[in-house]
Amino acid sequence: MQRILSTALPAHIGETVRLAGWVHRRRSLKSVAFLILRDAAGLAQVVVSEQAARARLEELPEETTVRVVGTVTANPSAPGGVEVTSPVIEALGDPAEPPPFDLYRPDLNVSLPVLLDHAPVALRHPKLAAVHRVGAAAVAGFRTALEEMSFVEIHTPKIVGTATESGANVFELDYFGRPAYLAQSPQLYKQIMVGVFERVYEVGPVFRAEPSDTARHLASYTSLDAEMGFVDDHRDVVAACHATVGGMLAAIRDLAGPSLDLLGVTMPALPREPLVVHFSDVLEMIGTATGQDVSAEPDLAPAHERWLGEWALREHGSDFVFVEGYPTAHRAFYTHPDPARPGYSRAIDLIFRGLELVSGGQRLHRYGDYVRALTARGESDLSAYAGYLDAMRHGMPPHGGFAFGLERFLARLLDVPNIRQVTLFPRDLHRLSP
Ligand code: AMO
């Protein structure tokens, strides 16, 4: 007999079926006992009436893996309107000890450090599992949206010879006796690959030796990257990024509906056309609104981003707002300056509910510009960039791209204050296991 999932039970009323999963909860009443079985799809109520079977159920601690063969019976008062009766329950293992907390409670009321210490078990809680189902749907949507726009998926090295974003926060490692680094982003490789495919994307881990202990930084996170050739300017990048966000939200609605319901998620408002404001206008608005002199700020501080998020929602009904034109000196060397506004660039960020979610923009594409930009930033030995500069030397189109942090996306979408709450096994200053 083939196994079915708990959610398929209503289609099998009157039939004998086989289920498998975990003992989520046992409840014993006077004349009957209940086994709540948890599988990948959800929960199923199994009713045990026979005396000997009830005694055997008593012996199965929570989280025992079991196989159940029984009859599907309609019962309007059972969860989902069905239950499994006259079951034969077979234990598939014998847990060494019960879980450190009650996974059957609607919420795991434990502190974040306890939860993270016990992540391998805590993640089985339906609400925590739901977080990562939403994450999986978001990534599926990212891929689909970009495939529909003719982007090609690539996989670039995670052990590299050059720091990409800044020299400061790289993890160095010993590579057969030579220094090497864990990739901070696929930036240089995704640009090189524009020379091959014009449009590329990558989903993969990146590594940042972040010395700061904040609620929005991890030492390793999942970067959703895209890069595209033959752009007119950064506004083409904004348009592609906006369409990608739309695709991610649609996929989440389509693929993760039950998880959204379980978590009580309010889906964000994404306007039809992207909302874009210039960096200098943001500073001016903040100055006017708060009375602070922020006119010389080189970047947006977290408090400025929060202010902007509130403004976008209040004034434009949008949970997303693009900022364009960040000062060139504060962005990476590959950033394209804005020819019309000295000092400002064609770099963009996307702020989602008051948090920077995406960085990107138009890049330099002429070899000579790269040599000048790297030299101006004190890079005396350009040989470290030889492969990258090779692509630039042999003809690159005007291009640009963007990168999302998946965990930041989930944190804002699910409205949790700390990015670690939506990260499977977070890595930070203090945590290297589990
Ligand atoms: P950036 O360094 O801004 O840009 O990173 C892009 C996005 O990644 C997320 N992010 C992080 N998430 C968790 N922990 C961190 N330590 C962390 N650092 C960054 C943020 C951020 O917006 N190469 C460029 C992208 C590009 O220009 O295409 C880059 O990596 O959501």
Side-chain angles (χ1 to χ4, degrees):
M1 193 189 308
Q2 253 204 323
R3 176 193 176 200
I4 64 166
L5 286 171
S6 54
T7 40
L9 285 176
H12 292 272
I13 290 174
E15 296 172 30
T16 300
V17 297
R18 181 167 137 177
L19 297 170
W22 286 261
V23 174
H24 189 59
R25 187 173 193 187
R26 293 164 307 162
R27 268 174 42 231
S28 224
L29 304 183
K30 235 199 226 124
S31 58
V32 68
F34 295 98
L35 156 62
I36 307 298
L37 177 110
R38 187 184 75 245
D39 64 16
L43 303 176
Q45 175 163 297
V46 179
V47 188
V48 185
S49 328
E50 203 231 328
Q51 194 59 43
R54 288 181 59 185
R56 281 196 302 277
L57 180 61
E58 292 283 317
E59 303 286 295
L60 302 182
E62 269 126 24
E63 294 309 296
T64 305
T65 45
V66 290
R67 196 180 283 151
V68 176
V69 175
T71 310
V72 186
T73 308
N75 176 0
S77 59
V82 283
E83 59 191 10
V84 175
T85 53
S86 314
V88 175
I89 301 171
E90 179 196 351
L92 300 175
D94 48 349
E97 53 182 290
F101 23 63
D102 294 329
L103 288 171
Y104 58 78
R105 296 197 187 280
D107 287 291
L108 258 190
N109 284 326
V110 295
S111 69
L112 186 57
V114 171
L115 189 149
L116 296 179
D117 285 346
H118 296 283
V121 186
L123 288 165
R124 293 182 189 177
H125 188 278
K127 281 196 177 165
L128 285 186
V131 166
H132 298 285
R133 279 194 188 273
V134 174
V139 173
F142 179 81
R143 286 199 162 97
T144 307
L146 288 161
E147 295 279 343
E148 279 171 3
M149 293 187 278
S150 304
F151 284 70
V152 178
E153 183 162 15
I154 57 170
H155 305 279
T156 65
K158 303 302 157 213
I159 301 177
V160 296
T162 329
T164 48
E165 300 304 324
S166 85
N169 56 357
V170 284
F171 286 109
E172 192 173 332
L173 56 97
D174 174 45
Y175 188 71
F176 306 117
R178 287 191 280 157
Y181 308 99
L182 291 180
Q184 293 165 298
S185 79
Q187 181 66 36
L188 308 191
Y189 290 99
K190 69 175 178 171
Q191 286 185 255
I192 291 172
M193 290 307 292
V194 165
V196 180
F197 292 139
E198 291 189 23
R199 293 181 162 208
V200 294
Y201 74 93
E202 178 164 8
V203 176
V206 296
F207 306 93
R208 306 274 172 110
E210 293 285 353
S212 43
D213 215 351
T214 79
R216 59 186 193 288
H217 288 102
L218 296 164
S220 167
Y221 68 93
T222 303
S223 186
L224 309 181
D225 272 83
E227 197 73 16
M228 58 200 279
F230 299 101
V231 298
D232 287 339
D233 60 25
H234 62 287
R235 286 296 184 106
D236 288 341
V237 176
V238 166
C241 184
H242 183 75
T244 305
V245 174
M248 289 166 76
L249 296 179
I252 290 168
R253 273 191 214 98
D254 289 350
L255 304 175
S259 297
L260 293 177
D261 293 343
L262 184 64
L263 296 168
V265 176
T266 309
M267 285 301 274
L270 180 72
R272 205 180 241 290
E273 296 299 322
L275 171 63
V276 189
V277 280
H278 195 277
F279 177 82
S280 59
D281 296 333
V282 175
L283 289 189
E284 201 179 306
M285 288 193 295
I286 292 174
T288 310
T290 65
Q292 300 163 8
D293 180 15
V294 290
S295 57
E297 293 289 326
D299 201 355
L300 296 184
H304 298 153
E305 292 177 351
R306 282 195 294 277
W307 184 92
L308 186 62
E310 284 164 18
W311 171 85
L313 191 60
R314 191 176 62 241
E315 301 294 326
H316 296 273
S318 176
D319 281 304
F320 297 88
V321 49
F322 286 92
V323 180
E324 63 181 359
Y326 286 82
T328 316
H330 266 262
R331 300 294 284 222
F333 68 88
Y334 47 76
T335 303
H336 197 295
D338 180 352
R341 294 186 68 166
Y344 294 104
S345 73
R346 286 183 173 171
I348 59 161
D349 274 2
L350 173 59
I351 311 296
F352 174 28
R353 292 180 171 161
L355 178 70
E356 178 205 313
L357 168 66
V358 174
S359 277
Q362 187 182 351
R363 330 294 188 185
L364 302 172
H365 66 280
R366 292 189 175 84
Y367 174 70
D369 289 342
Y370 272 99
V371 174
R372 275 186 290 280
L374 283 164
T375 315
R377 287 171 195 246
E379 294 280 353
S380 48
D381 179 13
L382 297 192
S383 66
Y385 295 91
Y388 178 62
L389 292 178
D390 236 11
M392 306 303 163
R393 190 186 278 124
H394 295 290
M396 281 292 284
H399 64 279
F402 56 87
F404 287 73
L406 175 63
E407 296 80 359
R408 284 202 188 174
F409 177 70
L410 287 176
R412 289 333 304 126
L413 180 72
L414 306 181
D415 193 22
V416 301
N418 193 320
I419 196 170
R420 290 161 187 77
Q421 292 166 267
V422 294
T423 306
L424 272 186
F425 301 104
R427 292 290 176 263
D428 61 26
L429 266 184
H430 311 289
R431 192 168 283 279
L432 189 54
S433 67

